């Protein structure tokens, strides 16, 4: 028993396990609609029914493995019996036939064992092989059961004792070797020993009767021992199976993304190494596609992580459905995926065409609407492609370049496919440097705020717009459009805004200290769309206002038209909370997006800022003039005030005034400048001093 258990517990097999024990990660792609199967132990495998089938296969295998020894014992015992019975009053013909039958049976069982060893799918057909094993055991039991009936030496006491010993010894061995498969053990014991018991009882001799009873007790004990062995072997199989499962799970966790079940970064790297060596050997090209979902974070933040997760799972499913078996889709984390397209043709152009076709197919596939928890979601994907060996020799370079191309695709408006170009690498390197330097800049107080005045129709100061600049050593004053995007991307934006709001409130405080509290000045601060991803916007504002000791009505937040309209459901509650505090809102760059009037009506805004691009051409382009005029009337109808941005000359000012625009901002009244230099020209509105630049 112990030897059987040990052998199986350590998983030493006479032949490799098929499928069940295969722990090496496989990349075989399932058909699109079928849930992905995992290497042993993956979620799809842990089916209770499957465990039973597997247990049965293990039991059958254990019986077959022990059958060599069992058959040998059969032959030895049969030969011993032949010698014992020889010369007794037993028909030689019956003896010979019995002996021959035993040899024949052993031969058949041996051949069956050999066939089993050679079978391709013994585990899958374990029911069939199990039946054959039971049949063999039963036939053997029957032959041994015939001994007390046909070969019983009527007079030879010694011979009779020898037969009892041979039969009980035989069955003891069989009870052990057949125990893994209980029906086999039971059929052997049930057919071999009862005839002996009957024979002993029929002798009607007290000694024989006693012996018969002993053999009966012995039979029951053998059955019990077999059952116990059977359970022991079963639990040894089960614990080994558990271990295999947990090993496989560990392996899976190390190589597969838990959420989407796609290969993770680590497995992708292995595969890249393999495929790059193969491509190098066979001089083939391969493409790495770097995918990033556009605005995934918004969905995640507005609808919750659960919806985000389900969306990622669906994206992974669609991706897998499109790829060939030899291509690999992996998830790098977040909303980033990589597709490795292998075996492209040798020609550069043909390879690029094939890669582009796949990328566009994927892009179209992923842009189709998703229905998740009752939400119809739309999400696009930006894809960057880099090709080996044209865009890099090593997996790291090609992956990095595909990433840079993806970044470019985003910059160019998202939902597009972009091949890597060498110039992109330079841009990517610069971006990384800029990010690092900006981080230092904030620590070293290199950021400064400039204020630009906003005036009313009479030229009286209405408010100021705070605009950030970076005093970058060696580069002079860097304008926001050159670093705001990097700040947003790197997450520095929040830090920047916290600093900015604090600083602006301090500046308002010092202006109020100098000029009095009466409603002046109203300072506008631009905030990034990302601020609306933070749920504590209102609380933070309240805190900085309290710290500076200024009234909330002194502060106005400018959000761009795009931000407000793109995520209106998410933005409105936050805006309302902030507005309840007393801080007002302005829609910046109005006219550049395509706002829905219905939404505009719902937004709690106080001012619309007409974008500089319309104001600039207002006198030369009738369309711009009409648009500016329409914006002004529309805003007034809704009770919203208007500010024109970028007013550079008197003629433009005159036109805008005539159309009813309320306030004006532009070089005509002053460029953005530090508070210190602006200071002499600041006066409270009551004094109505004209601002002249
Ligand atoms: P914006 O909010 O539309 O700011 C107005 C921009 O127009 C400013 O550019 C200003 O200098 C410029 N401008 C004002 N009057 C005139 C004019 O008469 N002619 C011309 N040609 N330009 C004029 P700036 O300071 O370079 O800012 C650019 C953009 O950067 C801002 O556009 C704003 O969207 C963003 N920005 C600036 N500071 C911040 C900030 O602290 N946070 C965030 N998130 N964005 C900021
Ligand atoms: Mg602005
Ligand atoms: Mg603007």
């Amino acid at each position: 028993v112990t030897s059987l258990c040990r052998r199986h517990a350590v998983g030493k097999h006479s032949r490799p396990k098929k499928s069940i024990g295969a722990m090496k990660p496989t990349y075989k792609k399932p058909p699109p609609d079928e849930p992905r199967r995992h290497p042993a132990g993956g979620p799809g495998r842990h089916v209770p029914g499957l465990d039973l089938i597997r247990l049965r296969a293990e039991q059958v295998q254990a019986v077959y493995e022990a059958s060599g020894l069992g058959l040998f014992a059969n032959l030895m015992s049969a030969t011993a019996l032949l010698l014992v019975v020889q010369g007794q009053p037993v028909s030689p013909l019956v003896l010979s036939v019995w002996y021959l039958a035993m040899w024949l049976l052993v031969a058949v069982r041996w051949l069956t064992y050999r066939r089993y060893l050679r079978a391709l799918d013994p585990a899958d057909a374990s029911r069939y092989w199990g039946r054959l094993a039971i049949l063999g055991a039963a036939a053997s039991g029957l032959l041994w059961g015939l001994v007390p009936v046909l070969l019983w030496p009527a007079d030879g006491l010694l011979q009779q004792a020898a037969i009892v010993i041979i039969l009980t010894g035989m069955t003891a061995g069989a009870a052990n070797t057949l125990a893994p498969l209980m029906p086999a053990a039971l059929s052997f014991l049930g057919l071999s020993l009862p005839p002996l018991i009957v024979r002993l009882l029929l002798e009607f001799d007290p000694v024989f009767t006693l012996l018969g009873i002993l053999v009966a007790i012995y039979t029951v004990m053998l059955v019990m021992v077999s059952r116990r062995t059977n359970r022991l072997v079963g639990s040894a199989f089960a614990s080994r199976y558990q271990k295999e499962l947990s090993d496989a799970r560990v392996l899976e966790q190390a190589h597969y993304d838990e959420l989407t079940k796609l290969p993770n970064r680590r497995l992708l790297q292995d595969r890249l190494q393999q495929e790059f060596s193969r491509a190098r050997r066979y001089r083939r090209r391969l493409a790495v596609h770097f995918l990033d979902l556009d605005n995934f974070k918004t969905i995640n933040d507005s609808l919750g992580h659960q919806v985000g997760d389900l969306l990622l799972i669906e994206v992974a499913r669609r991706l897998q459905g499109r790829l060939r078996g030899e291509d690999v889709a992996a998830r790098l984390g977040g909303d980033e995926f990589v597709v490795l397209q292998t075996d492209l043709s040798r020609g550069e152009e043909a390879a690029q065409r094939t890669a582009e076709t796949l990328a566009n197919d994927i892009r179209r596939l992923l842009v189709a609407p998703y229905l998740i928890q009752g939400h119809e979601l739309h999400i696009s994907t930006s894809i960057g492609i880099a090709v080996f060996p044209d865009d890099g020799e090593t997996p790291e370079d090609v992956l990095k370049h595909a990433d840079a191309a993806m970044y470019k695709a985003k910059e160019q408006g998202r939902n597009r496919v972009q091949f890597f170009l060498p110039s992109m690498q330079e841009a990517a390197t610069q971006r990384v440097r800029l990010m690092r330097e900006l981080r230092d800049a904030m620590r070293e107080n290199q950021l400064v705020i400039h204020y630009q005045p906003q005036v009313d129709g009479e030229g009286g100061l209405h408010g100021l717009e705070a605009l950030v600049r970076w005093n970058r050593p060696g580069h002079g004053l860097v304008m926001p459009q050159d670093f705001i995007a990097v700040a947003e991307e790197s997450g520095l934006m929040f830090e920047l805004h916290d600093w900015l709001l604090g600083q602006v409130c301090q500046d308002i405080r010092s202006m109020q200290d100098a000029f009095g509290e009466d409603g002046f000045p109203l300072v506008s601060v631009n905030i990034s769309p990302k601020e609306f991803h933070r749920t504590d916007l209102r609380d933070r504002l309240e805190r900085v206002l309290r710290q500076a000791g200024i009234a909330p009505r002194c502060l106005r937040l400018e959000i761009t038209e795009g931000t407000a309209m793109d995520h209106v459901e998410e933005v409105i509650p936050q805006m309302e909370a902030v507005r309840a505090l007393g801080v007002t809102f302005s829609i910046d760059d109005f006219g550049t997006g395509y706002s829905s009037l219905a939404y505009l009506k719902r937004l709690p805004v106080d001012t619309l800022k007409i974008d500089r691009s319309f104001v600039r051409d207002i006198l030369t382009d009738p369309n711009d003039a009409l648009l500016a005029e329409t914006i002004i009337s529309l805003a007034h109808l809704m009770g919203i005030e208007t500010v024109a941005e970028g007013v550079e000359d008197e003629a433009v000012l005159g036109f805008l005034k005539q159309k009813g625009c309320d306030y004006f901002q532009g070089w005509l009244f002053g460029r953005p400048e530090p508070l210190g230099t602006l200071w002499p020209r600041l006066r409270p509105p009551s004094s109505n001093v004209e601002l002249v630049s």
Side-chain angles (χ1 to χ4, degrees), residues 588-589 609 611 645:
D588 206 352
D589 305 341
K609 291 186 78 177
D611 191 59
E645 294 180 331

Coordinates of all heavy atoms in Angstrom, one line a residue, residues 588-589 609 611 645, ligand 3:
D588 N -14.4 77.9 -21.0 CA -13.2 78.5 -21.7 C -13.3 78.1 -23.2 O -13.9 77.0 -23.5 CB -12.0 78.0 -21.1 CG -10.8 79.0 -21.3 OD1 -11.0 79.9 -22.1 OD2 -9.7 78.7 -20.7
D589 N -12.7 78.9 -24.0 CA -12.5 78.5 -25.5 C -13.8 78.1 -26.1 O -13.9 77.2 -26.9 CB -11.5 77.3 -25.6 CG -10.2 77.7 -25.0 OD1 -9.9 78.8 -24.8 OD2 -9.4 76.7 -24.7
K609 N -16.5 82.1 -22.4 CA -15.4 82.8 -23.0 C -15.3 82.5 -24.5 O -15.1 81.3 -24.8 CB -14.1 82.5 -22.3 CG -14.0 83.0 -20.9 CD -12.7 82.8 -20.2 CE -11.7 83.8 -20.7 NZ -10.4 83.6 -20.0
D611 N -13.8 82.0 -27.9 CA -12.4 81.6 -28.2 C -11.7 82.6 -29.1 O -12.3 83.2 -29.9 CB -12.4 80.2 -28.9 CG -11.0 79.6 -28.9 OD1 -10.4 79.5 -27.9 OD2 -10.5 79.4 -30.1
E645 N -12.0 86.6 -25.7 CA -10.6 86.4 -25.5 C -9.8 86.9 -26.6 O -10.3 86.9 -27.8 CB -10.2 84.9 -25.4 CG -10.8 84.1 -24.3 CD -10.3 82.6 -24.5 OE1 -10.1 82.1 -25.6 OE2 -10.2 81.9 -23.4
Ligands
LIG3 MG1 -9.2 80.4 -23.6

